[in-house]
Amino acid sequence: MDEFHKRLTAMRQKFHQEPELGFEEHRTKARVAERLRQLGLEVHEGVGVIGVLRSGGGNRVIGLRADMDALPIHEIGDQDYVSKTAGVMHACGHDGHMTMLLGAAETLAQSRDFDGTVVFIFQPNEEHGLGAQAMIAEGLLERFELEEVYAIHNLPGAPVGQVSTSQGQICASESLFEITLNGQGGHASMPHVGVDTITVGAEMVLALQTIVSRKLAPSSGAVVSVTEFITDGQRNVLPGMTRLKGDVRARQPEDRLAVERFMRQITSGIAATHGITAEMSFDTEFIETLNAKTPTEAVARVSRALELETIADRPPMSFSEDFAHFCAAVPGCFLLLGNGESGANGQPLHSADYDFNDALLPIGAALWADLVRDRLPSRKTNDV
């Protein structure tokens, strides 16, 4: 392990030991800002942290984004750098994402072998889908006129350093729904006197599953999951109120809108059938992440030049990503970087025994740096 790799490893493990939840990344932001200033970058602190590095006289601007927040999970790993904060851990690899981007900032600040401006975006609160929108609302895209934007996410279960992405849809949307049924509860021995909502709710749960199985194309990839069934009933009391909560994933905006429409039809129809009232909310926190053609082609080209295993047409992922809001505003590419297939590095994201693979740090930093050189080639390179 060379000195650069050792330095990045120590940095990543320090981030891992001191995780912070979304919009509470105070120490993390301070550490990122301090490192960017040490490297000589222009630093802007607000909702997140932005580092700006300019070289040459080019006027093109690209953005590279890393997320900073941790998760409310109690870590059970046995590494000597486990979280020092009970109930909070970096279970999604954001500690590694930050470190790879800081490594790229160091490399590029030293070489200055590109022509244009790189905006290093360190975003808070990705896990709740709020950080990107907060940075955009703060004026990020007005202050820095990004032409392209990129993000890396590690992928447990894939070989170390494998790059995978695809044009078009790469991550699903996530919408949260809540359905409240109000009927007439009563004594468990006399169900005919009222309209208990537990029976109606059960019917509704089953009916909602027909949206994917019967109303959308089999290839849509949509998922409708009821995750909570809450009532005010007791052991001998039929509930007058039932609340259903759940999660919807969709690969295309039109499918997401269709699911919501069908859900509202089913909810109102079943409620009317049983003579009760129903209220439904449907809130999309993560929109679909859609990769643009040119940035995605650039990622594949750079990855292959680095002799990394490259999959340029991977199937879309079912998870959701806050980076979608950047891609909706600027042509972008979200790519996945294999984290390893065994041990803690191979455990699923959001697992209490997951860990980011430090072997990825120099790979990710090099990928970032070469992507900048590809998208913002120096004039010397152009003249050759």
Side-chain angles (χ1 to χ4, degrees), residues 6 57 121 178 216 325-326 333 353:
K6 289 179 181 178
I121 303 166
E178 183 172 316
L216 299 180
H325 294 286
F326 287 118
C333 179
D353 54 351

Side-chain angles (χ1 to χ4, degrees), residues 4-44:
F4 180 63
H5 194 175
K6 289 179 181 178
R7 193 160 58 250
L8 293 184
T9 298
M11 185 186 305
R12 201 283 296 185
Q13 293 180 4
K14 183 69 172 177
F15 279 134
H16 190 87
Q17 285 182 309
E18 298 182 354
E20 296 173 298
L21 298 174
F23 289 145
E24 298 176 7
E25 306 97 332
H26 308 301
R27 288 177 304 184
T28 303
K29 288 169 60 178
R31 187 172 294 125
V32 167
E34 178 184 16
R35 182 56 183 156
L36 292 173
R37 289 193 177 96
Q38 289 173 349
L39 296 172
L41 274 68
E42 173 187 316
V43 178
H44 301 263

Side-chain angles (χ1 to χ4, degrees), residues 23-77:
F23 289 145
E24 298 176 7
E25 306 97 332
H26 308 301
R27 288 177 304 184
T28 303
K29 288 169 60 178
R31 187 172 294 125
V32 167
E34 178 184 16
R35 182 56 183 156
L36 292 173
R37 289 193 177 96
Q38 289 173 349
L39 296 172
L41 274 68
E42 173 187 316
V43 178
H44 301 263
E45 296 183 71
V47 173
V49 179
I50 299 170
V52 182
L53 182 63
R54 299 182 178 87
S55 181
N59 57 10
R60 295 197 64 220
V61 184
I62 66 170
L64 309 179
R65 175 275 214 171
D67 32 23
M68 299 189 294
D69 55 324
L71 285 155
I73 296 173
H74 181 75
E75 186 167 11
I76 61 173

